[in-house]
């Protein structure tokens, strides 16, 4: 909406040339050929989007198609003056396109550690003892984890977008826009840091359970404060004698008519050919994708299900965990059974999606050290019998002080167990992934995770047999076919 508003205002401000281009006698066969080429391009992009081959590349390619066509139309209709006037509003659309993971993930990881360290330093200044372990803050009442959602990455992206938007809103000069952009980035860091400090203080004063009560509220307040602060900075940077330009609908109507009159009939036919080609290309791509999906054996529902038992307690998943993982369905169950003992179990399922590959990063030996746990030995592969069906799990051991923990964790993609011989960089696309993992595309990408965690101490370490018994008492396994 901002982009459209800015484009309309720029159109009324531009001293457009509005030079009517000469009408070229273009043969109809050339327009048809151009339409076929455009249909092939639309088909390729839509099919790649449906099958999700290299999604970031496809998304950016799809974004640049309308941008390129719009810039071309501006140049043909109004010359270089109109093109320069509409350049920023049109390119502003790119702020809505996701960042590439190999660029975003390192920034997010760095922000998580930086926010945790800065929050700990401020807590020390308040006289509160705290320790930092990776992206976790250890307090007297427990551990507060700085997840990706709380790293400040979203605040950074929102700050950049709104900083650019306010620079255009007040028509700031280039150097002042750059200054505003840096101020917006600094304000994004500051507001997110204040939020994490407030949540840490809430955890220290009222316990970890109280953090959930103000989690969303602090997030809303942080974003509101960020937007207001950027607006104030942009207004302060505006030159006093520089009058704001207002959008006049009458002048906009006159300019639109002038631009329309400057577009020759040949270009109108070409635009119509592109529209028809786009509709046909997208429709055919969706039909082909649908036929491939029906022919392919793709998992669409979880294979694991929970048994009904009075010793089980359904627990609501923390909002941070849900927002981090974005599963299709998720279950968190606590069991208090006199025979196998106490434990906690988790079950997550994701329908086919290209983004499911990033779930593999949330592996116990990768995530647990980030919240203060130390890995004890390498993970072990273990096979568990579920009603005569052999399923593969992985055994992880952790400790934190005198407390010990054991976790049985299994992950499947389209019903096939995923081995642990992969690295996070391979999942994040920074390096090539083994072809056996089948991480690319959407088909056969349904992902399911089942886990069981039990605790103990140095005198009574957690036992594998007890974790297996808890896991089998909670879940039943019914694969398709």
């Amino acid at each position: 909406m901002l982009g459209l508003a800015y484009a309309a205002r720029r159109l009324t401000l531009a001293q457009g040339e509005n030079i009517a281009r000469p009408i070229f006698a273009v043969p109809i066969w050339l327009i048809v050929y151009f339409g076929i080429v455009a249909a092939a391009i639309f088909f390729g992009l839509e099919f790649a989007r449906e099958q999700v081959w290299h999604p970031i590349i496809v998304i950016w390619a799809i974004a640049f198609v309308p941008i390129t066509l719009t810039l071309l139309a501006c140049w043909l209709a109004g010359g270089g003056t109109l093109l320069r006037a509409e350049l920023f509003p049109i390119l502003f659309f790119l702020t809505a396109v996701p960042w590439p993971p190999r660029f975003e993930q390192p920034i997010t990881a760095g922000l998580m550690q930086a926010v945790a360290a800065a929050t700990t330093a401020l807590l020390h200044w308040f006289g509160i003892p705290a320790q930092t372990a990776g992206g976790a803050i250890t307090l007297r009442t427990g551990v507060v984890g700085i997840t990706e959602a709380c790293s400040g990455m979203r605040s950074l992206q929102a700050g950049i977008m709104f900083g650019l938007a306010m620079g255009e809103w007040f028509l700031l000069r280039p150097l002042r826009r750059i200054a505003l952009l840096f101020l917006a980035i600094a304000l994004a860091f500051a507001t997110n840091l204040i939020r994490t400090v407030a949540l840490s203080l809430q955890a220290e004063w009222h316990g970890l359970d109280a953090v959930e009560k103000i989690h969303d509220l602090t997030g809303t307040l942080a974003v509101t404060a960020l937007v207001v602060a950027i607006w104030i900075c942009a207004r302060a940077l505006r030159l006093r004698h520089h009058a704001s330009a207002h959008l006049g609908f009458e002048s906009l109507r006159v300019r639109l008519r002038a631009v329309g009159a400057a577009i020759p009939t040949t270009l109108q036919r070409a635009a119509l050919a592109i529209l028809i080609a786009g509709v046909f290309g997208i429709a055919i791509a969706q039909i082909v994708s649908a036929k491939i999906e029906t022919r392919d054996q793709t998992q669409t529902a979880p294979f694991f299900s929970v048994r009904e038992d009075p010793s089980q307690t359904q627990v609501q998943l923390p909002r941070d965990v849900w927002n981090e993982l974005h599963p299709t369905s998720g279950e968190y169950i606590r069991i208090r059974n006199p025979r196998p003992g106490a434990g906690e179990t988790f079950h997550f399922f994701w329908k086919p999606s290209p983004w499911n590959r990033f779930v593999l990063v949330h592996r116990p030996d990768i995530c647990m050290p980030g919240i203060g746990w130390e890995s004890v030995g390498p993970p072990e592969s273990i096979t568990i019998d579920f009603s005569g069906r052999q399923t593969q799990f992985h055994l992880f051991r952790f400790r934190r002080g005198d407390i010990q923990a054991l976790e049985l964790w299994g992950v499947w993609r389209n019903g096939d167990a995923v081995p642990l011989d992969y690295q996070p960089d391979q999942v994040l696309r920074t390096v090539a992934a083994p072809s056996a993992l089948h991480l690319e595309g959407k088909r056969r990408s349904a992902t399911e995770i089942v886990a069981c965690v039990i605790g103990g101490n140095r005198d009574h370490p957690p036992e594998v047999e007890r974790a297996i018994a808890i896991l089998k008492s909670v879940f039943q396994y019914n694969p398709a076919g």
Side-chain angles (χ1 to χ4, degrees):
M1 294 299 295
L2 280 174
L4 290 175
Y6 291 155
R9 185 175 67 174
R10 285 282 187 172
L11 182 62
T12 62
L13 295 177
Q15 301 297 323
E17 301 167 19
N18 286 333
I19 301 175
R21 305 291 177 182
I23 301 178
F24 300 101
V26 180
I28 189 65
W29 67 265
L30 187 59
I31 296 179
V32 173
Y33 174 77
F34 182 74
I36 294 174
V37 173
I41 294 175
F42 281 114
F43 170 82
L45 289 176
E46 177 64 15
F47 186 76
R49 188 190 70 83
E50 283 286 332
Q51 300 301 314
V52 202
W53 298 333
H54 304 286
I56 290 298
I57 297 177
V58 174
I59 289 175
W60 278 86
I62 292 175
F64 271 108
V65 167
I67 287 176
T68 303
L69 293 176
T70 306
L71 291 175
L72 179 62
C74 289
W75 179 75
L76 292 173
T81 302
L82 183 60
L83 176 63
R84 288 189 295 271
E86 298 292 349
L87 185 61
F88 178 86
I90 294 172
L91 293 181
F92 183 74
F93 171 71
L94 293 176
T95 59
V97 183
W99 293 7
R102 68 174 56 191
F103 175 70
E104 180 179 357
Q105 290 295 334
I107 297 178
T108 302
L111 286 175
M112 290 171 61
Q113 297 183 3
V115 169
T119 302
T120 302
L122 290 175
L123 291 176
H124 289 167
W125 187 73
F126 283 113
I128 297 176
Q131 292 182 347
T132 303
I137 303 172
T138 303
L139 302 172
R140 177 180 54 85
T141 55
V143 178
V144 177
I146 306 297
T147 62
E148 293 182 11
C150 299
S151 64
M153 189 63 192
R154 296 176 185 174
S155 297
L156 174 61
Q157 293 171 332
I160 292 175
M161 185 275 293
F162 202 71
L164 293 173
M166 288 298 97
E168 175 68 14
W169 180 268
F170 290 105
L171 296 176
L172 300 181
R173 293 178 178 178
L175 290 179
R176 292 176 180 264
R177 294 194 186 204
I178 295 174
L180 178 62
L181 183 60
F182 281 106
L183 285 173
I185 293 174
L187 289 170
F189 290 149
T191 52
N192 185 70
L193 180 60
I194 293 173
R195 180 186 179 227
T196 56
V197 171
L199 293 175
S200 299
L201 291 175
Q202 178 79 352
E204 174 68 18
W205 293 337
H206 305 287
L208 294 177
D209 293 337
V211 174
E212 188 70 20
K213 298 179 181 179
I214 66 168
H215 183 274
D216 292 345
L217 176 62
T218 55
T220 303
L221 292 177
V223 173
T224 304
L226 175 63
V227 171
V228 173
I230 294 175
W231 181 84
I232 293 174
C233 291
R235 189 175 180 84
L237 287 172
R238 183 182 60 175
L239 294 176
R240 293 184 177 180
H241 65 273
H242 183 74
S244 298
H246 299 283
L247 177 61
F249 290 99
E250 186 61 34
S251 59
L252 176 62
R253 188 181 300 110
V254 173
R255 280 302 178 94
L256 288 175
R257 289 176 180 173
V259 170
I263 300 177
T265 306
T266 304
L267 293 181
Q268 296 177 9
R269 292 175 179 174
L272 181 61
I274 292 176
L275 176 62
I276 296 175
V279 172
F280 274 96
I282 293 174
I284 294 173
Q286 290 184 349
I287 292 173
V288 173
S289 297
K291 289 185 176 181
I292 292 176
E293 289 290 337
T294 55
R295 186 181 59 190
D296 201 1
Q297 296 181 351
T298 301
Q299 179 185 0
T300 57
F303 290 164
F304 285 88
S305 59
V306 178
R307 303 176 186 271
E308 296 293 337
D309 193 284
S311 64
Q312 302 172 6
T313 302
Q314 188 87 20
V315 182
Q316 184 177 3
L317 281 164
R319 188 179 298 272
D320 277 351
V321 175
W322 190 272
N323 293 337
E324 190 77 20
L325 299 177
H326 295 289
T328 305
S329 61
E331 297 164 305
Y332 173 20
I333 298 171
R334 288 176 181 165
I335 182 171
R336 298 292 185 269
N337 193 310
R339 190 170 58 180
E344 297 182 340
T345 59
F346 302 87
H347 177 221
F348 299 101
F349 176 73
W350 293 262
K351 287 185 177 180
S353 169
W355 310 109
N356 289 351
R357 63 181 295 159
F358 300 113
V359 174
L360 301 179
V361 177
H362 299 279
R363 212 169 67 186
D365 57 336
I366 298 174
C367 296
M368 293 291 281
I371 56 175
W373 289 90
E374 178 185 356
S375 295
V376 181
E380 305 173 19
S381 180
I382 183 172
T383 301
I384 300 178
D385 185 290
F386 277 90
S387 302
R389 301 178 185 271
Q390 303 299 312
T391 56
Q392 184 180 2
F393 281 80
H394 304 282
L395 172 63
F396 299 87
R397 297 181 185 272
F398 304 97
R399 67 184 175 194
R400 186 167 64 191
D402 294 333
I403 303 176
Q404 297 185 8
L406 181 150
E407 180 171 0
L408 288 176
W409 185 84
V411 57
W412 297 263
R413 284 175 64 84
N414 205 64
D416 298 327
V418 178
L420 294 184
D421 56 349
Y422 65 87
Q423 300 298 323
D425 290 343
Q426 296 172 334
V427 177
L428 300 175
R429 293 194 180 93
T430 54
V431 296
S435 57
L437 288 178
H438 303 291
L439 294 181
E440 298 297 337
K442 176 182 177 182
R443 286 181 293 160
R444 304 183 65 82
S445 64
T447 305
E448 192 166 8
I449 289 179
V450 174
C452 175
V453 182
I454 60 174
N457 52 43
R458 188 175 302 174
D459 298 328
H460 299 88
E463 300 174 350
V464 179
E465 293 76 13
R466 188 161 65 89
I468 295 176
I470 292 176
L471 200 65
K472 295 174 69 173
S473 68
V474 174
F475 296 106
Q476 54 186 355
Y477 181 57
N478 296 305

